[in-house]
């Protein structure tokens, strides 16, 4: 164990596996559903199978984004592994992404001291 660091069992790390970010797009014949309450699982590409395998092969992308096109709008769904970010961190990413999409300043850089 390295002095000043938690025991190896207590540490978390993200193994960058060059899986990138998975982007999906689906056209759905129908109207945009209500976003009050849970959405169907089929609306998401789940970030599963991301851990390295026993044979040394690496898992899939740690972040998955899916755009669903309906007759009357779009829905963006996001799935990510918990070690990548917490809900507040993902909210900051999505706010900055939306601002950039609108041509606005993305805002202040994230803070690790929250």
């Amino acid at each position: 164990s390295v002095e000043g660091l938690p025991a190896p069992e207590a540490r978390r790390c993200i193994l960058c596996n060059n899986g990138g970010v998975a982007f999906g797009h689906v056209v759905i014949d129908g109207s945009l559903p209500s976003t009050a309450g849970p959405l169907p699982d089929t609306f998401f590409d789940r970030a599963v199978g991301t851990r390295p395998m026993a044979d040394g092969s690496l898992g899939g992308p740690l972040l998955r984004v899916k755009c669903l096109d309906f007759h009357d709008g779009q829905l963006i769904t996001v799935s990510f592994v918990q070690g990548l970010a917490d809900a507040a961190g993902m909210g900051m990413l999505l706010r900055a992404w939306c601002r950039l999409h609108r041509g606005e300043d993305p805002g202040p850089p994230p803070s690790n001291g929250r």
Side-chain angles (χ1 to χ4, degrees), residues 1-12:
S1 155
V2 177
E3 188 173 326
L5 292 177
E9 304 82 41
R11 286 186 261 163
R12 287 193 178 227

Side-chain angles (χ1 to χ4, degrees), residues 3 22 30 35 47 51 53 57 59 69 72 90 92 94 99 103 105 107-112:
E3 188 173 326
T35 55
R51 292 182 181 219
M53 309 299 171
S57 61
D69 273 322
D72 54 350
M90 191 52 62
M92 291 179 355
L94 293 174
R99 288 176 182 146
D105 181 89
S111 167
N112 293 325

Side-chain angles (χ1 to χ4, degrees), residues 10-94:
R11 286 186 261 163
R12 287 193 178 227
C13 68
I14 297 172
L15 176 61
C16 295
N17 61 10
N18 286 331
V21 175
F23 286 94
H25 178 252
V26 176
V27 177
I28 297 180
D29 186 22
S31 296
L32 192 64
S34 169
T35 55
L39 294 170
D41 283 346
T42 56
F43 284 9
F44 295 85
D45 285 336
R46 298 269 181 212
V48 296
T50 60
R51 292 182 181 219
M53 309 299 171
D55 65 2
S57 61
L58 301 176
L62 305 177
L63 172 65
R64 294 179 174 269
V65 179
K66 189 173 187 179
C67 176
L68 299 110
D69 273 322
F70 295 89
H71 293 300
D72 54 350
Q74 290 182 321
L75 181 66
I76 304 277
T77 61
V78 179
S79 178
F80 58 97
V81 295
Q82 187 176 4
L84 190 59
D86 60 9
M90 191 52 62
M92 291 179 355
L93 170 73
L94 293 174

